[in-house]
Amino acid sequence: MAMKVEEMVEPVERFFEREYPAKKSLFLDLEEEIQRDPYAIADYAYIAGARESLHAVCMSPSYSESITDVYGGIHASTHLDANYSWLALPLDEFREGDSMCNGMLEDLCESRGVGLMTIQPSGLGWSAKTIVEPKRRKGKFIKFYDGLGRTWNHQRTA
């Protein structure tokens, strides 16, 4: 049974809360921004405490899409405007594709500085696990996400 991108949201959010905790943080679905700008390629963003700690995530339902989709997967993750860029996909898809492609996706993520996480069953629900750590990019990328910037500024002043 294939996992839908929408089902990946909650475990990804818990992952960031667990791995990148902050007194002030924000996790935002960028669907509205994607609808406004069809070339916006991140699905979700997480800010861990400061503008310079923006994580952007592309979620992919399959290994093959992670490699071949020019508007998603590794191609999109490589070009995300963020301090930390991530690619997320279901564990069973990762394992199956990884064995067929001899670790190609993991190698691509490593060489491009993109974090790779898998979504897997855990107890009665789902959990996310890091396969490749992302490389940090300096800069203030929040300006590229209009709705995220407004929400973050409002939260900081509230």
Side-chain angles (χ1 to χ4, degrees):
M1 178 185 207
M3 180 177 229
K4 296 177 184 165
V5 169
E6 300 82 37
E7 296 172 304
M8 299 168 69
V9 174
E10 188 177 329
V12 168
E13 184 173 309
R14 282 196 314 270
F15 167 83
F16 283 117
E17 290 172 343
R18 180 183 71 236
E19 299 295 324
Y20 298 91
K23 285 185 181 181
K24 290 206 176 221
S25 61
L26 177 65
F27 187 82
L28 193 67
D29 178 341
L30 297 174
E31 184 177 344
E32 181 181 310
E33 298 205 10
I34 292 169
Q35 289 175 352
R36 206 172 44 247
D37 177 5
Y39 297 103
I41 49 183
D43 294 305
Y44 296 90
Y46 175 76
I47 302 174
R51 288 177 170 270
E52 298 78 24
S53 189
L54 173 63
H55 297 257
V57 184
C58 283
M59 297 188 189
S60 182
S62 75
Y63 193 95
S64 61
E65 281 185 35
S66 296
I67 292 177
T68 61
D69 182 0
V70 294
Y71 299 108
I74 187 63
H75 300 292
S77 297
T78 301
H79 301 289
L80 290 176
D81 293 314
N83 301 107
Y84 302 92
S85 300
W86 291 89
L87 174 60
L89 72 156
L91 178 63
D92 58 343
E93 286 288 328
F94 173 73
R95 284 183 176 158
E96 185 178 321
D98 199 49
S99 65
M100 288 188 323
C101 296
N102 297 319
M104 181 179 173
L105 182 59
E106 191 171 344
D107 292 343
L108 284 170
C109 287
E110 188 74 44
S111 68
R112 295 179 184 193
V114 173
L116 177 63
M117 72 172 76
T118 57
I119 311 301
Q120 57 204 27
S122 174
L124 298 176
W126 297 91
S127 180
K129 178 184 173 191
T130 303
I131 303 297
V132 175
E133 289 285 339
K135 291 183 181 139
R136 186 180 195 293
R137 293 175 49 207
K138 291 184 180 182
K140 294 181 181 178
F141 296 95
I142 195 171
K143 63 187 173 192
F144 295 106
Y145 304 91
D146 189 43
L148 182 63
R150 281 194 311 275
T151 305
W152 177 253
N153 288 333
H154 178 70
Q155 181 189 31
R156 284 189 25 220
T157 58

